[in-house]
């Protein structure tokens, strides 16, 4: 019996040795008449054959615009049909799609476009408080006087033009609907020839990671990386062409575009986008009206769906499965998702952008207890290990850093060999920065981020443990625990709590509840009641912001 914290996933399922374009063509041919994509907020429905036409049109237009193999094409838009079409079209012409967070503002956009050297940018016109056109006009004053494709920008010398998804755009922009005319100039044969040149190990996607320190880094992923990850995630879920998958998570993150879009592509399942960005009611409505079988979400999305005042009105009985991932999945929330959302087979997945993303996943037939308390076992064709600070593999049951090796590990950070070398060691292991424990059966539990651990008076406290405990209180809907500086103990525990609607509870009551049930040093000193946490668009709570805010509040409150 191997007692080291090392496991290898099953080897029996072969990896797909093909490009994304080849996989797309195969699915479009095989499931031509079945529904491929439903975009509810745009009122659009495409069969695989119709989607293939759209993708072909966009791909040939990109060729007409002179997009070369390996050139970067950015997309800056909330979830929409064009996002999906662009993803597959860029893959067909071998252009590297650069996912740009729709919440980015001008300076962040500038950074991503410059760092990746984008030749073209595809953008929405406006969304929520972001006026994309206005930000681009400000960033690129030369655009207005340039013919599409001939931009000469001092700030972004590699950018040749911008394509707007709007019907009408300011001078200098090309509009999406004009792509059909451009495509007509390019013979279908040219696209076939381009596709034949592509290799599956070539980069096809750059995703900027939501790093909390330093500049964002562009995780560079190949066809092989992400196509296979989408495939393996779908296999775990048992997807097939009759499945209908609701994708409320953002497409600019791998949860949407890999686990969602490529998971469906590799199984002929239907992709359903309920709204441009997450809206609980639109998600519930999409499940009910589309008779969806599978639902994805980060934990906060499931909490919002569970607590939605009109939830009982929606018939969710078509659901059988789904994935909760992206952040710690609280046990109580998992239980409610199973009971109240009918997702009996729901699974937890764990991963990170740099590993395409998923490296561990629970299985539908794992015992309930394991499905709600662990992130499962190593995915097929991958390896996991847990190491100490010196990189030595720890015995089972001990806490250390989780590392992943295999087909899913990114090619590297775009144009940043130093950061790549810090993340991927010479043995090709990707270091996650997450603290985890592996049990005898190979099930892994995530206990925190290495830098999130609270050290209070010499006691190590994992915020996750305190959060899980507070979740058991009936009034608590969501909770996040952080450490704040303290003169006496070095650090003290602070809990930010969101209450269920209609429940009242104060700090005293929660403190008493903790004192009666957990060790005294784990009882939060501070409780703060909030309506929301500072979050990234991908549902990651920004604990560093909470810490800053709490620190400022405590500093001000001090005599
Ligand atoms: P990203 O690269 O944005 O996908 O973020 C990756 C990080 O999300 C990981 O390093 C983890 O800290 C966190 N994460 C993802 N999935 C889970 C999960 N199931 N449980 C706990 N943390 C998770």
């Amino acid at each position: 019996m191997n007692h080291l914290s090392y496991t290898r996933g099953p080897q029996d399922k072969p990896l797909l040795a093909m490009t994304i374009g080849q996989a797309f063509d195969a699915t479009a041919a095989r499931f031509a008449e079945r529904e491929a994509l439903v975009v509810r907020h745009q009122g659009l429905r495409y069969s695989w054959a119709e989607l293939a036409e759209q993708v072909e049109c966009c791909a040939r237009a990109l060729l007409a615009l002179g997009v070369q193999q390996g050139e970067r094409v950015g997309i800056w838009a909330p979830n929409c049909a064009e996002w999906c079409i662009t993803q597959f079209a860029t893959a067909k012409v071998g252009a590297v799609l650069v996912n740009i967070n729709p919440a980015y503002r001008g300076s962040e956009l500038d950074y991503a476009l410059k760092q990746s050297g984008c030749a073209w940018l595809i953008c929405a016109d406006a969304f929520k408080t972001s006026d994309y056109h206005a930000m681009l006009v400000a960033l690129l004053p030369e655009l207005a006087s340039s013919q599409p494709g001939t931009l000469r920008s001092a700030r972004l010398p590699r950018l040749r033009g911008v394509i707007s998804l709007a019907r009408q755009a300011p001078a200098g922009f090309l509009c999406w609907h004009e792509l059909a005319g451009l495509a007509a100039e390019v013979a279908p044969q040219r696209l076939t020839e381009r596709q034949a040149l592509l290799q599956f190990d070539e980069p096809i996607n750059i995703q900027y990671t939501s790093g909390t320190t330093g500049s964002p880094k562009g995780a560079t992923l190949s066809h092989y990386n992400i196509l296979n990850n989408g495939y393996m995630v779908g296999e775990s879920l048992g997807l097939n062409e009759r499945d209908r998958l609701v994708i409320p998570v953002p497409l600019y993150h791998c949860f949407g575009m890999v686990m969602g879009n490529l998971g469906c592509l590799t199984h002929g399942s239907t992709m359903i986008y309920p709204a441009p960005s997450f809206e609980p009611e639109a998600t519930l409505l999409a499940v009910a009206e589309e008779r969806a079988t599978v639902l994805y979400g980060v934990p906060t999305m499931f909490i919002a769906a569970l607590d939605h005042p009109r939830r009982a009105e929606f018939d969710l009985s078509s659901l059988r499965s789904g994935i909760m991932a992206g952040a710690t999945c609280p046990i109580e929330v998992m239980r409610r998702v199973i009971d109240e959302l009918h997702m009996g087979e729901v699974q937890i997945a764990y991963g990170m952008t740099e590993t395409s993303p998923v490296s561990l996943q629970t299985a539908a037939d794992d015992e309930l207890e394991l499905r709600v308390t662990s992130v499962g076992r190593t995915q097929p064709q991958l390896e996991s290990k847990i190491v100490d600070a010196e990189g030595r593999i720890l015995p089972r049951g001990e806490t250390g850093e989780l590392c992943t090796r295999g087909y899913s590990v990114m090619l590297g950070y775009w144009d940043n060999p130093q950061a790549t070398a810090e993340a991927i060691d010479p043995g090709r292991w990707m270091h996650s920065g997450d603290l985890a424990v592996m049990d005898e059966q190979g099930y892994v539990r995530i206990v925190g981020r290495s830098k999130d651990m609270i050290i209070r008076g010499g006691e190590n406290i994992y915020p996750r443990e305190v959060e899980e405990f507070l979740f058991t209180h009936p009034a608590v809907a969501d909770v996040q625990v952080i450490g704040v500086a303290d003169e006496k103990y070095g650090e003290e525990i602070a809990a930010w709590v969101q209450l269920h609607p209609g429940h009242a509870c104060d700090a005293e009551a929660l403190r008493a509840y903790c004192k009666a049930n957990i060790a005294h040093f784990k009882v939060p000193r501070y409780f703060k009641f909030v309506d929301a946490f500072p979050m990234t668009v991908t549902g990651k709570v920004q604990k560093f912001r909470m810490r800053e805010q709490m620190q400022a509040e405590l500093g001000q409150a001090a005599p």
Side-chain angles (χ1 to χ4, degrees):
M1 178 87 173
N2 178 5
H3 288 286
L4 287 179
S5 302
Y6 167 88
T7 51
R8 195 170 180 172
Q11 308 290 302
D12 52 334
K13 220 176 274 290
L15 291 163
L16 304 176
M18 59 174 85
T19 62
I20 293 171
Q22 287 168 328
F24 183 85
D25 292 345
T27 296
R30 182 157 170 222
F31 299 114
E33 301 312 319
R34 297 197 70 91
E35 205 156 51
L37 177 66
V38 177
V39 186
R40 291 177 51 88
H41 53 286
Q42 293 178 296
L44 284 175
R45 281 175 191 276
Y46 294 131
S47 66
W48 283 103
E50 288 162 342
L51 182 61
E53 263 176 44
Q54 298 287 330
V55 168
E56 160 110 10
C57 170
C58 178
R60 280 163 56 197
L62 292 175
L63 291 181
L65 293 172
V67 173
Q68 303 297 313
Q69 185 177 349
E71 265 196 319
R72 273 77 61 213
V73 173
I75 184 153
W76 189 34
N79 290 6
C80 58
E82 294 86 345
W83 213 112
C84 174
I85 294 165
T86 302
Q87 178 183 351
F88 296 134
T90 47
K92 271 184 171 247
V93 301
V96 178
L97 181 70
V98 180
N99 303 1
I100 298 174
N101 187 331
Y104 272 6
R105 299 287 167 157
S107 68
E108 295 153 317
L109 171 75
D110 183 27
Y111 173 84
L113 292 177
K114 196 179 285 146
Q115 208 276 333
S116 61
C118 274
W120 282 89
L121 174 69
I122 298 174
C123 71
D125 53 349
F127 182 62
K128 292 192 177 165
T129 60
S130 289
D131 184 338
Y132 300 113
H133 282 173
M135 281 190 265
L136 280 163
V137 167
L139 195 67
L140 301 165
E142 306 90 342
L143 193 60
S145 58
S146 72
Q147 285 298 314
T150 63
L151 175 67
R152 288 190 177 276
S153 154
R155 196 190 267 272
L156 295 167
R158 304 185 84 141
L159 191 68
R160 298 206 294 275
V162 179
I163 302 167
S164 170
L165 300 181
R167 287 298 303 174
Q168 280 196 323
F173 285 69
L174 195 64
C175 283
W176 178 267
H177 64 84
E178 295 174 85
L179 296 186
L182 287 167
E185 296 168 13
V186 171
Q189 180 63 18
R190 271 190 57 200
L191 180 57
T192 313
E193 285 162 10
R194 171 65 69 83
Q195 273 192 255
L197 294 176
L198 309 183
Q199 300 293 307
F200 58 68
D201 280 330
E202 286 164 352
I204 203 63
N205 184 216
I206 296 176
Q207 301 192 28
Y208 283 91
T209 55
S210 45
T212 50
T213 53
S215 303
K217 295 179 289 252
T220 307
L221 301 158
S222 66
H223 296 261
Y224 194 67
N225 285 151
I226 57 178
L227 183 68
N228 278 301
N229 206 256
Y231 171 63
M232 291 300 181
V233 167
E235 287 293 286
S236 253
L237 284 170
L239 289 186
N240 65 35
E241 69 277 15
R242 288 179 302 283
D243 276 306
R244 299 174 61 74
L245 175 56
V246 168
I247 306 173
V249 291
L251 294 174
Y252 90 85
H253 185 265
C254 21
F255 203 169
M257 56 106 59
V258 178
M259 297 161 69
N261 288 356
L262 296 179
C264 287
L265 172 71
T266 46
H267 296 85
S269 317
T270 307
M271 306 169 267
I272 301 168
Y273 306 159
S277 67
F278 176 68
E279 288 169 33
E281 187 159 326
T283 304
L284 291 166
L285 204 58
V287 170
E289 291 186 354
E290 300 292 335
R291 303 305 295 151
T293 55
V294 182
L295 172 64
Y296 281 179
V298 297
T300 46
M301 294 179 183
F302 283 107
I303 292 171
L306 283 164
D307 276 346
H308 193 276
R310 292 185 48 211
R311 177 169 57 81
E313 295 170 31
F314 302 105
D315 175 5
L316 309 177
S317 60
S318 55
L319 280 179
R320 67 169 176 86
S321 189
I323 293 183
M324 197 189 300
T328 299
C329 307
I331 296 166
E332 286 303 310
V333 177
M334 277 296 281
R335 290 193 205 282
R336 287 188 65 201
V337 164
I338 292 169
D339 293 344
E340 298 170 37
L341 295 186
H342 305 279
M343 290 169 57
E345 298 170 25
V346 67
Q347 302 178 11
I348 286 183
Y350 161 88
M352 63 195 308
T353 306
E354 290 87 337
T355 57
S356 296
V358 176
S359 47
L360 293 129
Q361 191 165 346
T362 57
D365 56 0
D366 279 338
E367 275 170 36
L368 180 65
E369 201 53 26
L370 285 168
R371 275 199 290 140
V372 297
T373 57
S374 82
V375 294
R377 288 183 288 188
T378 306
Q379 269 268 0
Q381 304 285 6
L382 292 175
E383 295 167 277
S384 309
K385 68 175 181 180
I386 292 173
V387 298
D388 67 12
E390 279 77 47
R392 284 186 297 251
I393 303 181
L394 287 163
R396 301 261 172 140
E398 288 191 22
T399 300
E401 187 186 20
L402 179 59
C403 304
T404 297
R405 180 163 74 177
Y407 78 84
S408 71
V409 174
M410 64 171 177
L411 299 173
Y413 291 117
W414 186 262
D415 199 20
N416 196 344
Q418 192 190 333
T420 306
E422 284 163 16
I424 304 175
D425 69 20
R428 286 293 299 164
W429 287 95
M430 176 72 209
H431 287 249
S432 68
D434 290 313
L435 293 172
V437 189
M438 187 183 285
D439 74 9
E440 284 299 332
Q441 280 69 46
Y443 288 90
V444 171
R445 277 186 306 118
I446 304 295
V447 293
R449 296 280 307 163
S450 36
K451 47 187 174 298
D452 275 352
M453 193 166 67
I454 303 170
I455 305 182
R456 180 191 179 274
E459 302 272 10
N460 287 1
I461 298 153
Y462 297 117
R464 168 90 201 255
E465 192 189 338
V466 182
E467 287 163 5
E468 289 294 356
F469 172 71
L470 282 166
F471 258 111
T472 62
H473 190 284
V476 173
D478 203 353
V479 54
Q480 296 292 332
V481 166
I482 52 169
V484 287
D486 181 77
E487 267 189 23
K488 187 167 172 197
Y489 290 105
E491 273 187 298
E492 267 292 6
I493 307 174
W496 284 29
V497 178
Q498 243 176 283
L499 295 176
H500 284 297
H503 280 71
C505 189
D506 62 10
E508 266 327 297
L510 286 182
R511 196 167 291 120
Y513 181 66
C514 290
K515 278 188 177 157
N517 293 290
I518 56 174
H520 71 91
F521 63 88
K522 294 183 195 163
V523 178
R525 163 105 182 261
Y526 308 105
F527 286 94
K528 182 177 160 83
F529 294 88
V530 294
D531 293 328
F533 305 112
M535 297 274 236
T536 66
V537 190
T538 45
K540 282 189 209 336
V541 175
Q542 294 172 303
K543 286 197 169 176
F544 68 101
R545 283 208 198 291
M546 291 169 54
R547 225 169 274 127
E548 281 166 11
Q549 201 177 320
M550 198 79 199
Q551 215 75 64
E553 283 171 21
L554 292 171
Q556 280 156 12

